[in-house]
């Protein structure tokens, strides 16, 4: 429930004489007298402040959206970024993809369940703790493959995958909350692109580790040093998450705050999960797009990269894939914030571009795939398959090299657009957490299905066709939401329907002035 507002200065007057304070020197527990004679509570009580750093007049920069976004981007640089580098090698850096298929099936199965409810957890515990706990699973996952290289302990790899699913569900929901609800509306596209640049730099740098260590290797698993490097970096990411502020401390340049719940409880947050769907039932039309957003990794990493190329070329392809994502994120993010065009127009334009890219890039992928050897040939133990090396040149390597680059560009474009669409539907941190949870949960369900299909040894052509078909179908379902439901702006009043806060708590300074409310700032704590 929202805190009741006192109706007169006397309602909050202390019984004993207190030191005189001005409107700009009040503490977080006092009220401020306004020109109209009505006492109003100061927007953020001290309990919302980040306890590790003082958030006063000299320290507000640390609690700004851009600093917090950069911090969470660095956490993802070190944790999921390094995970992507391992996955992009194909087979988790091993020769046989069985261990990674089993781990990935377990990972995305638990990920799907936990992420669906992780918005509730993030709203209750705060993004800082949620993100920090989420980073732990990545270290254990990398360690399981180091162990597997020596003892083939498949059980440990499966456990690590399942545990990572729990952790990743929490981490990505906290990340999505920050990326969608912290920026002002006119900058959401570029904030998403900045995050995607830093996050994918993690995968690029991570992919350079195995490339450098396996530069002369054309067969066998990657080296122990590769896995040890990943473990150390992932651990640093989990620790870095503890230096974040929670959402209640964040203040934008215009003086506005992220819309949350003043008094979150498990009951209110579980109800909020239901309200997200009941208030906007049409959001389910985006679910196929969520489902399709990670399925292509299975084909690209295992059925293309691991199947058709040797060890060092897989590492090079991996580097090119994640490098191209940086360009995709920059171009897409800034295009989505293109000022002269209204947001609803930009949404429609981005959908058209996505549709064209889906059929042009994946059409090129089909032309390449139909010429490749089958799974039976690749996995024939009696006649070892010799993968393509980067020195082969011509159509044998140059064509798929460019295909990897365009696949990476497409991935960044698809993911950036989804986050931007969700961010355009609401500026509420509470609602963003639930949408991010839905997104990552359904995304992971799709990934689990496709990793299982690969584990069942489905033909490479089948894996490709199912991936491409799902992407195209998802766009058809999403079209009505993108075309009809994305508005040029979302009013504060609409977002406050999903919160127990008031306009005094979250509005920009100019709106408070327009309402006759005196703007105050929090005293240093």
């Amino acid at each position: 429930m929202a805190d009741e507002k006192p109706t007169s200065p006397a309602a909050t007057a202390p019984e004993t004489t207190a030191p005189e304070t001005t409107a700009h020197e009040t503490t977080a527990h006092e009220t401020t007298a306004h020109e109209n004679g009505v006492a109003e509570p100061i927007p953020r009580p001290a309990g919302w402040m980040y306890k590790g750093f003082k958030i006063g007049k000299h320290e507000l920069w640390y609690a700004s959206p851009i600093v917090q976004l950069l911090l969470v981007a660095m956490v993802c640089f070190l944790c999921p970024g390094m995970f992507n580098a391992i996955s992009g090698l194909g087979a988790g850096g091993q020769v046989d993809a069985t261990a990674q298929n089993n781990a990935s099936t377990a990972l995305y199965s638990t990920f799907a369940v936990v992420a669906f409810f992780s918005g509730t957890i993030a709203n209750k515990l705060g993004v800082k703790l949620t993100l920090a706990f989420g980073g732990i699973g990545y270290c254990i996952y990398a360690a399981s493959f180091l162990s597997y290289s020596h003892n083939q302990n498949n059980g440990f790899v499966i456990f690590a995958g399942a545990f990572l699913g729990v952790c990743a569900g929490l981490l990505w929901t906290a990340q999505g909350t920050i990326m969608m609800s912290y920026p002002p509306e006119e900058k959401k596209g570029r904030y998403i692109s900045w995050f995607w640049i830093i996050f994918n730099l993690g995968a690029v740098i991570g992919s350079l580790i195995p490339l450098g260590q396996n530069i002369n290797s054309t067969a066998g698993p990657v080296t122990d040093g590769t896995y040890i490097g990943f473990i150390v970096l992932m651990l640093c990411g989990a620790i870095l998450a503890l230096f974040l502020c929670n959402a209640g401390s964040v203040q934008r340049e215009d003086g506005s705050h992220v819309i949350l719940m003043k008094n979150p409880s498990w009951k209110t947050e579980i109800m909020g999960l239901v309200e997200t769907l009941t208030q906007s039932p049409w959001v389910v039309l985006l679910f196929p797009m969520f489902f399709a957003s990670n399925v292509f990794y299975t084909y690209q990493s295992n059925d293309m990269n691991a199947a058709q190329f040797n060890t060092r070329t897989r590492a090079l392809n991996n580097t090119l894939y994640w490098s191209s994502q940086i360009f995709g994120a920059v171009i897409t993010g800034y295009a989505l914030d293109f000022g002269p065009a209204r947001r609803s127009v930009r949404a429609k334009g981005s959908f058209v571009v996505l549709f064209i890219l889906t059929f042009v890039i994946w059409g090129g992928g089909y032309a390449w795939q139909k010429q490749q050897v089958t799974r039976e040939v690749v996995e024939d133990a009696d006649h070892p398959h010799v993968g393509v090396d980067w020195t082969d040149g011509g159509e044998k390597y140059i064509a798929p090299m460019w295909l990897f680059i365009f696949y990476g560009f497409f991935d960044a474009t698809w993911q950036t657009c989804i986050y931007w669409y969700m961010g355009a539907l609401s500026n509420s941190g509470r609602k963003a957490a639930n949408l991010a949870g839905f997104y990552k949960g359904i995304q992971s369900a799709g990934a689990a299905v496709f990793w299982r299909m690969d584990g069942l040894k489905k033909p490479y052509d089948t894996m490709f066709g199912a991936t491409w078909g799902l992407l195209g179908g998802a766009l058809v379902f999403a079209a009505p939401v993108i075309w009809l439901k994305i508005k040029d702006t979302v009013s504060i009043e609409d977002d406050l329907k999903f919160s127990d806060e008031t306009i005094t708590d979250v509005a920009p300074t100019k709106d408070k002035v327009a309402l006759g409310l005196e703007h105050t700032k929090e005293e240093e704590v």
Side-chain angles (χ1 to χ4, degrees):
M1 294 177 58
D3 295 334
E4 293 184 1
K5 294 181 181 179
T7 56
S8 69
T12 57
E15 295 180 0
T16 58
T17 303
E20 183 177 348
T21 59
T22 67
H24 291 287
E25 295 175 342
T26 55
T27 70
H29 300 289
E30 295 173 330
T31 55
T32 303
H34 297 130
E35 293 178 0
N36 58 9
V38 177
E40 295 287 349
I42 288 180
R44 297 279 167 162
W48 292 67
M49 293 296 101
Y50 176 61
K51 301 302 183 185
F53 290 84
K54 292 193 297 182
I55 308 297
K57 61 183 180 180
H58 301 301
E59 293 83 14
L60 282 174
W61 66 270
Y62 188 80
S64 65
I66 185 60
V67 172
Q68 295 301 300
L69 178 90
L70 293 176
L71 279 174
V72 77
M74 285 303 301
V75 173
C76 291
F77 171 100
L78 293 165
C79 292
M82 299 302 144
F83 168 83
N84 284 343
I86 294 176
S87 298
L89 288 170
Q94 301 294 314
V95 176
D96 186 353
T98 301
Q100 190 196 30
N101 281 332
N102 292 337
S104 296
T105 302
L107 189 165
Y108 290 108
S109 296
T110 56
F111 197 160
V113 176
V114 172
F116 205 82
F117 300 98
S118 57
T120 298
I121 298 172
N123 284 330
K124 175 59 180 172
L125 299 182
V127 293
K128 178 176 64 173
L129 291 179
T130 305
L131 200 72
F133 179 78
I136 297 172
Y138 289 89
C139 312
I140 297 174
Y141 182 81
S144 72
F145 278 99
L146 174 61
S147 171
Y148 186 84
S149 293
H150 294 275
N151 54 31
Q152 283 69 56
N153 187 345
N154 197 51
F156 182 29
V157 176
I158 294 174
F159 164 78
F163 182 68
L164 176 56
V166 174
C167 294
L170 298 174
L171 181 142
W172 279 108
T173 298
Q175 173 273 335
T177 303
I178 291 171
M179 196 166 67
M180 291 189 289
S181 65
Y182 284 19
E185 284 188 331
E186 69 277 6
K187 294 182 179 180
K188 288 194 176 186
R190 70 195 70 179
Y191 270 56
I192 294 170
S193 71
W194 295 339
F195 167 83
W196 217 255
I197 290 168
I198 297 172
F199 162 52
N200 282 303
L201 274 174
V204 171
I205 294 172
S207 66
L208 290 174
I209 297 172
L211 178 60
Q213 295 199 339
N214 298 280
I215 195 73
N216 297 314
S217 176
T218 58
V222 298
T223 65
D224 287 356
T226 300
Y227 291 122
I228 293 170
F230 285 134
I231 293 168
V232 172
L233 291 172
M234 290 170 168
L235 180 60
C236 291
I239 295 171
L240 180 62
L242 295 172
F243 290 87
L244 281 164
C245 298
N246 270 321
S249 301
V250 175
Q251 181 173 310
R252 303 186 186 97
E253 289 182 3
D254 62 1
S256 63
H257 291 271
V258 181
I259 297 175
L260 301 165
M261 286 287 282
K262 285 182 180 178
N263 303 293
S265 67
W266 290 114
K267 181 179 179 180
T268 62
E269 297 318 306
I270 291 172
M271 289 302 298
L273 192 69
V274 176
E275 290 170 7
T276 301
L277 291 175
T278 57
Q279 290 183 6
S280 307
W282 38 263
V283 78
V284 299
L285 294 176
L286 290 177
F287 285 5
M289 202 173 179
F290 297 174
F291 189 88
S293 60
N294 260 13
V295 300
F296 36 73
Y297 292 147
T298 306
Y299 167 76
Q300 290 166 353
S301 64
N302 276 13
D303 304 330
M304 183 179 177
N305 202 20
Q308 307 295 346
F309 303 92
N310 63 26
T311 303
R312 68 178 187 174
T313 308
R314 285 157 53 185
L316 175 60
N317 291 339
N318 197 24
T319 302
L320 294 173
Y321 184 90
W322 299 114
S323 298
S324 65
Q325 294 227 14
I326 295 173
F327 294 99
V330 171
I331 293 171
T332 306
Y334 277 81
L336 289 168
D337 280 349
F338 183 61
R342 292 182 293 114
R343 185 165 72 175
S344 56
V345 174
R346 283 176 267 145
K348 296 178 178 69
S350 68
F351 176 81
V352 172
V353 171
L354 263 186
F355 191 87
I356 293 171
L357 290 177
T358 300
F359 285 90
V360 171
I361 293 175
W362 287 85
Y366 172 71
W368 179 84
Q369 175 58 43
K370 67 182 182 181
Q371 301 175 17
Q372 304 311 303
V373 297
T374 64
R375 186 186 289 273
E376 289 74 20
V377 172
V378 171
E379 298 181 355
D380 185 354
D382 296 329
H383 302 87
H385 173 65
V386 179
V388 174
D389 187 76
W390 67 50
T391 58
D392 292 335
E395 290 187 6
K396 203 166 185 181
Y397 180 66
I398 300 301
M401 178 194 75
W402 280 105
L403 190 55
F404 264 107
I405 291 172
F406 284 116
Y407 276 153
F409 184 93
F410 176 84
D411 181 14
T413 301
W414 185 278
Q415 310 284 358
T416 301
C417 285
I418 290 179
Y419 275 115
W420 188 83
Y421 296 152
M422 291 190 292
L425 295 174
S426 176
N427 298 313
S428 164
R430 185 175 181 234
K431 194 168 187 177
N434 290 332
L435 287 173
F438 292 156
Y439 172 44
K440 301 308 292 189
I442 296 167
Q443 177 190 71
S444 301
V449 169
F450 274 70
W451 283 111
R452 183 56 183 158
M453 287 172 60
D454 198 52
L456 294 173
K457 310 295 185 182
K458 296 297 181 182
Y460 295 148
D461 289 349
T462 300
M463 296 296 296
F464 176 88
T467 303
W468 188 16
L470 183 59
L471 290 168
L475 289 174
V476 175
F477 279 96
V481 177
I482 298 168
W483 224 260
L484 302 175
K485 293 298 182 179
I486 293 181
K487 303 175 183 178
D488 293 330
T489 188
V490 178
S491 68
I492 294 178
E493 290 76 13
D494 283 343
D495 279 331
L496 285 174
K497 294 175 184 177
F498 202 69
S499 171
D500 63 355
E501 295 192 302
T502 67
I503 195 167
T504 307
D505 297 315
V506 300
T509 303
K510 62 181 180 61
D511 290 348
K512 292 177 183 178
V513 172
L515 291 170
L517 304 176
E518 183 177 358
H519 174 60
T520 62
K521 56 186 175 181
E522 295 87 354
E523 186 176 69
E524 294 185 5
V525 295

